[in-house]
Amino acid sequence: MARIKIDMPDNYSFSTEMPVRISDINYGGHLGNDAVLAMVHEARVRFLNSYNYGELDIEGAGIIMTDSAIVYKAEGFHADMVQIDIAVGDFNKYGCDIYYLLSNKKTAVEIAHAKTGIIFFDYNERKVIPVPEEFRNRIVKIAE
C-alpha cells in the first residue's frame, strides 16, 4: 500500500501555538487524529485572521477546503504545547495548498505534517472563482 507523502516547504510565514487538551487524547493515550485536524483548522483561521481575513471573506471571496492529508510523525500528549507553522503554496487558478508543520514546542519533535487544499468560492453565486490577486500577492510577498 502506498504511503502518503507531503513535500513540506522550507520556509513558513506564520506560527501559532496550542495546548493538547484532555479532550484531544484518544484511547491510545495520545493526541488523536481527529484532534490534529481540528488543530489544523484552528491554525488556518488564526493565519487568515493575521491578515484580517476570515474563511468567508478573503478579498470578498470565501474558501472551501477540497482535501486534507496528514502524516503522523510522533505522539503528542496531554498538556504538550504544539507549535504549528504555516506556509501557502501550489497556487492554481482557483486555489492553493496550505501546509502545516506541527511540532512539540518544548522538544522540537515533529508531531505531524499536514496539507489542506482550498478553493475560492462565491457563496452568493454558489460557484468557484479565481484566487483573489490581492490575496496571492500578499501571501507570495510574505513567503519570499
Side-chain angles (χ1 to χ4, degrees), residues 118-132:
I118 63 167
I119 58 168
F120 287 82
F121 195 75
D122 181 327
Y123 279 91
N124 291 326
E125 298 291 322
R126 311 302 300 174
K127 68 179 186 176
V128 175
I129 59 173
V131 175

Side-chain angles (χ1 to χ4, degrees), residues 60-126:
I63 60 171
I64 294 176
M65 187 173 70
T66 58
D67 57 54
S68 62
I70 302 172
V71 176
Y72 301 96
K73 299 291 195 176
E75 295 176 294
F77 299 98
H78 178 247
D80 284 351
M81 186 59 69
V82 178
Q83 177 173 318
I84 305 173
D85 298 310
I86 294 181
V88 179
D90 296 332
F91 280 92
N92 60 54
K93 182 176 180 179
Y94 297 108
C96 57
D97 289 333
I98 303 177
Y99 297 89
Y100 312 82
L101 173 61
L102 288 77
S103 304
N104 182 303
K105 175 76 173 165
K106 184 177 179 181
T107 66
V109 170
E110 292 183 1
I111 296 170
H113 294 171
K115 178 193 83 68
T116 58
I118 63 167
I119 58 168
F120 287 82
F121 195 75
D122 181 327
Y123 279 91
N124 291 326
E125 298 291 322
R126 311 302 300 174

Side-chain angles (χ1 to χ4, degrees), residues 23-28 30-41 68-72 74 76 102 111-112 114:
S23 60
D24 296 330
I25 302 301
N26 66 15
Y27 60 86
H30 55 233
L31 181 61
N33 61 356
D34 57 331
V36 171
L37 189 57
M39 289 176 135
V40 163
H41 291 316
S68 62
I70 302 172
V71 176
Y72 301 96
L102 288 77
I111 296 170

